[in-house]
Amino acid sequence: MGTNGVAVAGSTAETNGMALIACGSALPAISVSNQQLSERVDTSDEWIRTRTGIGARRVAGPEESLTLLATQAARAALAHAGWGPEDLDLILLATSSPDDLFGTAPRVQGALGATNAVAFDLTAACSGFLFALITAGQYLRSGTMRRALVIGADQLSRWVDWNDRTTCVLFGDGAAAVAVEACPAGENGLLAFRMRSDGSRHGCLTLAQTAEQQPVLSGVTAQLGGFSPIRMNGQEVYKFAVREVPAVLNELLEATGTAAADLNWLLLHQANQRILDAVADRFAIPQERVLSNLADYGNTSAATIPLMLDEAVKDGRVRPGDLIASSGFGAGLSWGGALLRWAGPRG
Ligand code: COA
């Protein structure tokens, strides 16, 4: 790899796999409990826990920008990988809540001092991390790039309507990063993947532009930039998730000849415990192999999958060689899945 995203190599026998090496995460300091929310909107700890499994969520303060959290998560992943920032060829930041609509990834690249890396954002809502991981995999497996950081980071607390009890109880803020590296095909950790979109159903979950107009010249009216808070048809999104996630995971298992019993972990986008339970039931995967941290963090959008992975790697649940079935789903509508093998840092 040359500097700043300039491809120099072609695919070789040594470099058509992608290994998942290390991860790291960063969370805002303030945790908001269900009880606290019930002081603002007509809800209760009992309702939120029963319907979603969520007990608390982190809310980023004004100083805790997306750039800051993503950079902290990236530094932790680099430290665990044993890499310096200059080792990176690529930084992909999956987010729907950037600090800057022109892109937040370059700010992270600048803060890290990753002078050899090209950095850009990728937006696919709660599917964003998985889509970014798969995208990074294409550069690494083709031999175009060697080392990448895939970051999932969101701050939907800045975009929910805090008076709307149907959405403000669900979302939280966080950032997490995974360090991935080109490796021999035999060590490939991205065993199979699927990505899907259905824009005809985009109205189920939106963070859409406002429609305020500003006359700028005689006969010329421009729209004033700005966004409305998140709007969601919860029941439609729920039905979509419990239909499409098992279907995409089933495709992956069939394509790779993998039995559900062979999976060490089910690592789904953390949106709702009932969705996790329904998918696990569909494949008869026991609770102890279903990763969930909804109780502590709620739905952190693009951050949920790497945040959960980081927690499970740190506490020793996920170990080198473990087989993980992962699926992300959300606004777009978008969804996807990947069959992954965790490698861990190389000796
Ligand atoms: N506290 C108390 N009551 C609430 C509430 C809250 N936070 N939010 C909604 N309600 C009420 C509704 O107003 C409704 O009241 P009504 O019967 O008087 O009209 C009642 O609870 C049932 O609402 P409903 O929407 O049918 O609940 P549900 O069982 O579908 O649960 C969700 C709502 C949002 C938890 C559920 O639909 C869900 O999880 N959907 C998926 C959402 C998701 O994961 N989005 C992100 C995807 S990335």
Side-chain angles (χ1 to χ4, degrees):
M1 186 63 213
T3 56
N4 236 262
V6 180
V8 293
S11 178
T12 70
E14 287 92 53
T15 60
N16 63 5
M18 174 176 82
L20 287 81
I21 300 293
C23 41
S25 59
L27 289 157
I30 298 287
S31 179
V32 173
S33 69
N34 294 342
Q35 174 59 35
Q36 283 173 288
L37 278 182
S38 72
E39 291 159 18
R40 184 181 173 100
V41 290
D42 183 13
T43 191
S44 65
D45 180 56
E46 202 267 332
W47 192 97
I48 301 170
R49 279 185 195 275
T50 315
R51 303 282 179 129
T52 71
I54 297 167
R57 72 286 295 145
R58 300 295 175 97
V59 176
E63 307 303 320
E64 292 173 311
S65 67
L66 194 87
T67 303
L68 181 78
L69 295 176
T71 303
Q72 288 173 345
R75 285 205 181 104
L78 286 176
H80 288 127
W83 300 351
E86 68 286 350
D87 292 329
L88 292 171
D89 300 320
L90 172 69
I91 298 171
L92 269 183
L93 173 62
T95 188
S96 305
S97 45
D99 288 340
D100 185 327
L101 282 182
F102 285 152
T104 301
R107 296 185 186 207
V108 175
Q109 182 248 8
L112 290 173
T115 47
N116 297 317
V118 64
F120 56 95
D121 293 7
L122 185 153
T123 299
C126 300
S127 310
F129 173 78
L130 217 56
F131 283 15
L133 183 71
I134 292 162
T135 302
Q138 308 315 302
Y139 292 110
L140 300 183
R141 297 186 64 185
S142 66
T144 313
M145 296 182 178
R146 206 166 66 87
R147 284 178 168 169
L149 262 189
V150 183
I151 308 171
D154 265 310
Q155 295 181 324
L156 294 187
S157 70
R158 298 184 178 187
W159 296 104
V160 289
D161 175 351
W162 285 95
N163 296 315
D164 175 7
R165 68 178 182 174
T166 67
T167 52
C168 77
V169 303
L170 301 177
F171 297 103
D173 303 336
V178 176
V180 287
E181 182 171 47
C183 70
E187 295 166 27
N188 180 33
L190 178 61
L191 303 175
F193 64 85
R194 294 285 186 278
M195 296 191 285
R196 302 267 188 268
S197 305
D198 181 2
S200 71
R201 290 189 280 168
H202 74 274
C204 293
L205 184 48
T206 57
L207 202 177
Q209 280 215 41
T210 45
E212 200 177 330
Q213 296 183 352
Q214 52 175 347
V216 285
L217 293 167
S218 170
V220 181
T221 301
Q223 189 167 308
L224 196 64
F227 292 86
S228 303
I230 293 170
R231 292 283 172 246
M232 182 180 72
N233 181 333
Q235 289 191 3
E236 282 304 313
V237 174
Y238 185 89
K239 282 189 273 179
F240 144 73
V242 297
R243 185 173 53 241
E244 302 295 0
V245 173
V248 87
L249 289 177
N250 199 43
E251 275 183 45
L252 293 176
L253 295 179
E254 282 187 356
T256 55
T258 306
D262 297 335
L263 297 172
N264 297 99
W265 301 106
L266 186 62
L267 171 53
L268 303 184
H269 168 51
Q270 309 278 301
N272 184 317
Q273 188 62 43
R274 289 189 294 153
I275 296 174
L276 303 193
D277 294 344
V279 177
D281 280 357
R282 161 73 182 71
F283 295 100
I285 296 173
Q287 278 307 316
E288 59 273 19
R289 288 199 276 125
V290 181
L291 295 170
S292 173
N293 61 8
L294 274 160
D296 297 326
Y297 307 122
N299 179 347
T300 56
S301 193
T304 65
I305 290 174
L307 194 59
M308 184 66 252
L309 180 65
D310 186 46
E311 186 181 318
V313 167
K314 271 189 191 137
D315 68 21
R317 275 178 287 174
V318 169
R319 287 183 287 197
D322 277 3
L323 188 59
I324 303 168
S326 188
S327 176
F329 55 90
L333 295 176
S334 62
W335 68 102
L339 199 59
L340 306 169
R341 198 176 288 286
W342 179 250
R346 288 159 181 238

